[in-house]
Amino acid sequence: MRQEKQVYNFSAGPATLPREVMLQAQEEFVDFRGQGFGLLESSHRSKAFQSVIDKTEADLRELMGISDDYAVLFLQGGASLQFAMLPMNLMLEGKPAVYADTGVWASKALKEGKLFGDTEVIYSGKEGNYSSIGDPHDWKVRADASYMYICSNNTIFGTQYRWYPETGEVPLVADMSSDILSREIDVNQFGLIFAGAQKNLGPSGVTLVILRKDLAERVKATVPTMLKYKTHMDNGSMFNTPPTFAIYMVGLVAEWLKKQGGMKAIQKLNEAKSSSLYEAIDSSEFYRGTAEPADRSRMNVCFRLPSEELEAKMIAEATQAGLVGLKGHRLVGGLRASIYNAMPLEGVSRPIDFMHEFEDKNR
Ligand code: PMP
């Protein structure tokens, strides 16, 4: 095997996958578990794939404590399709859908929601360039809402909910694309959770949907078959050909997570990783975090330097040093270190050392 230089990839997504998972996929790539050909070449109706999707679902249920009241679906179209599928399936006549606008992805979801019925914005962080998500304790969600929508981690702005709003009987819906499986949550608090896989779950191409089964019955007959959750629920995510390889990779990641000690252990690691990065930022006059400290994300750490020139210089030098993907989103500027589950602890200590050195040289 060729000698690889140690590179840490801080891309916001598709993002770093666990090394062990990549190696296992490589080992099984050409001959999947002794069948003489790869999983990529296998029918989705084959025993080999059925056992992969069953095990993937079972492991996700175990990790997240998902009860039988919920369906676990593997869909396509990315998280972005969920912005539309959600109102198409859950919006009720004359009952507004309530949205918290905490960033670009939440406002894109809101835009789609408006296409299908009345919406209400309970909180908007837009004026403050989405540096905060306010206090969900203060949100009084109307009892007749179709659902209440949140984006649990705002990938671009580096903010994350610490607690979720109380919604009573109103189903709480969350886009967890960038923090799913990163910490313990109570799935029973939610009506629907969705996540594009390409950050914490696996490669792009598959979108995980966790749906309270009774909600699948709300859908109108006029919604196209492929866009009904019920279609996928009734067919074990195999109404049509699912993204088999992406689901397999999600399965490997779930197995890896179990080996790490499950949600408790990974949450602890994620807290340690993000805390040490924020500490490095806060202990210096040179670096400045962009998110309100109370709402800081444990997945996407965003910070700025004294000038844009220095930011460009730092990104270039970091790339040279094997720390890639640190450029922040253009709406925030500066740098963003995405440190999802698969980023090891050393993947945080390396940039911290680099930050100290860079500051010493450029202050
Ligand atoms: N929601 C969030 C929180 C995201 O970070 C992203 C993508 N970065 C999306 C939705 C859109 O995902 P997709 O590209 O899978 O449609």
Side-chain angles (χ1 to χ4, degrees):
M1 213 169 73
R2 86 193 141 86
Q3 191 65 34
E4 295 172 50
K5 95 173 177 185
Q6 179 64 65
V7 170
Y8 291 102
N9 167 23
F10 298 93
S11 161
T16 293
L17 288 168
R19 188 84 185 148
E20 297 92 308
V21 164
M22 293 298 282
L23 290 170
Q24 187 178 341
Q26 180 184 46
E27 194 184 306
E28 298 183 325
F29 190 70
V30 174
D31 179 2
F32 183 71
R33 299 175 190 174
Q35 70 170 359
F37 53 94
L39 188 74
L40 271 175
E41 306 166 286
S42 304
S43 165
H44 58 296
R45 308 281 175 204
S46 65
K47 269 207 182 106
F49 182 69
Q50 189 65 55
S51 69
V52 164
I53 193 169
D54 289 348
K55 174 81 166 39
T56 304
E57 178 178 337
D59 283 346
L60 290 173
R61 283 187 183 276
E62 185 185 327
L63 281 164
M64 294 183 72
I66 306 169
S67 80
D68 285 343
D69 294 339
Y70 289 78
V72 173
L73 309 176
F74 300 99
L75 306 184
Q76 300 188 63
S80 299
L81 181 60
Q82 292 311 305
F83 299 164
M85 242 176 114
L86 163 71
M88 280 175 129
N89 282 264
L90 262 61
M91 193 88 97
L92 295 169
E93 207 74 44
K95 299 193 165 194
V98 177
Y99 283 76
D101 178 14
T102 55
V104 165
W105 300 111
S107 57
K108 286 191 175 176
L110 169 64
K111 182 170 172 236
E112 299 301 294
K114 284 180 181 163
L115 298 173
F116 298 96
D118 293 336
T119 56
E120 207 178 274
V121 176
I122 203 164
Y123 170 81
S124 175
K126 197 168 179 184
E127 281 198 0
N129 199 29
Y130 296 119
S131 61
S132 143
I133 49 183
D135 188 351
H137 286 139
D138 292 343
W139 302 347
K140 299 275 171 280
V141 182
R142 54 191 291 169
D144 66 343
S146 283
Y147 55 83
M148 156 92 215
Y149 183 95
I150 62 167
C151 178
S152 62
N153 183 77
N154 299 283
T155 325
I156 293 174
F157 300 95
T159 60
Q160 184 177 28
Y161 283 74
R162 287 280 168 277
W163 46 80
Y164 299 118
E166 259 314 313
T167 58
E169 295 296 304
V170 174
L172 179 60
V173 173
D175 172 1
M176 290 196 188
S177 293
S178 51
D179 70 350
I180 190 141
L181 286 175
S182 69
R183 57 178 174 183
E184 286 188 293
I185 60 158
D186 178 7
V187 171
N188 298 315
Q189 250 186 296
F190 297 89
L192 191 156
I193 294 169
F194 66 86
Q198 62 270 23
K199 299 160 200 303
N200 259 329
L201 283 173
S204 60
V206 64
T207 307
L208 180 71
V209 172
I210 301 165
L211 170 68
R212 217 177 67 209
K213 287 176 182 165
D214 61 292
L215 295 173
E217 307 300 331
R218 280 191 185 182
V219 72
K220 287 195 191 115
T222 50
V223 170
T225 311
M226 267 299 281
L227 298 175
K228 286 185 170 114
Y229 290 123
K230 190 163 165 48
T231 302
H232 302 285
M233 190 172 99
D234 291 347
N235 289 279
S237 299
M238 289 218 248
F239 173 72
N240 71 327
T241 317
T244 54
F245 200 79
I247 293 169
Y248 156 71
M249 291 294 286
V250 170
L252 294 187
V253 169
E255 272 173 19
W256 173 83
L257 262 176
K258 280 172 53 178
K259 273 191 234 144
Q260 306 309 301
M263 301 321 301
K264 257 198 177 56
I266 206 77
Q267 174 168 345
K268 215 168 143 210
L269 183 65
N270 286 330
E271 284 170 4
K273 287 188 298 186
S274 52
S275 298
S276 57
L277 253 178
Y278 285 123
E279 219 173 276
I281 292 166
D282 290 342
S283 62
S284 131
E285 300 276 296
F286 191 72
Y287 301 108
R288 173 175 59 83
T290 57
E292 275 299 317
D295 296 336
R296 281 171 165 176
S297 167
R298 299 208 175 275
M299 300 280 100
N300 311 96
V301 176
C302 300
F303 61 98
R304 304 216 54 166
L305 274 68
S307 72
E308 287 185 12
E309 290 69 33
L310 280 170
E311 288 168 351
K313 186 169 184 231
M314 183 169 190
I315 292 162
E317 288 182 15
T319 306
Q320 283 299 315
L323 305 171
V324 307
L326 283 168
K327 191 170 173 12
H329 192 280
R330 71 194 143 73
L331 293 173
V332 182
L335 282 79
R336 169 177 55 175
S338 295
I339 48 170
Y340 303 115
N341 288 349
M343 183 59 74
L345 208 50
E346 314 83 72
V348 172
S349 52
R350 275 275 303 281
I352 290 174
D353 291 345
F354 184 85
M355 284 165 75
H356 291 319
E357 286 163 28
F358 190 87
E359 180 177 353
D360 286 345
K361 281 192 236 150
N362 294 280
R363 195 171 21 205

